[in-house]
Amino acid sequence: MTFFKQGLGVSILAELILHRTNYRLALRPTVPAVSRTIAAGYRDRNSLPIASKYFIDSLVKRAEELP
């Protein structure tokens, strides 16, 4: 059994993960806040599946709204 399951550990997780767990968690913000850069890389936009093109377009359109 891991230290985390025994109540002896600490973990830093993405907020989305926290909504999909059955564990009782004590949530604490980090000070200063933690951020990360996420990138989408591709060789040739024309060879991407249409779903990928729409996803990238959505990211670009909403870039200012994203946390």
Side-chain angles (χ1 to χ4, degrees), residues 25-48:
L25 302 173
L27 308 178
R28 302 291 184 262
T30 58
V31 178
V34 175
S35 65
R36 64 179 169 221
T37 301
I38 298 175
Y42 50 91
R43 182 177 293 186
D44 176 23
R45 184 176 172 83
N46 294 325
S47 65
L48 289 173

Side-chain angles (χ1 to χ4, degrees), residues 7-9 11 23 28 38 43-44 46 50 54-55 58 65:
L8 303 172
S11 182
Y23 295 112
R28 302 291 184 262
I38 298 175
R43 182 177 293 186
D44 176 23
N46 294 325
I50 191 70
Y54 284 138
F55 179 67
S58 175
E65 301 170 30

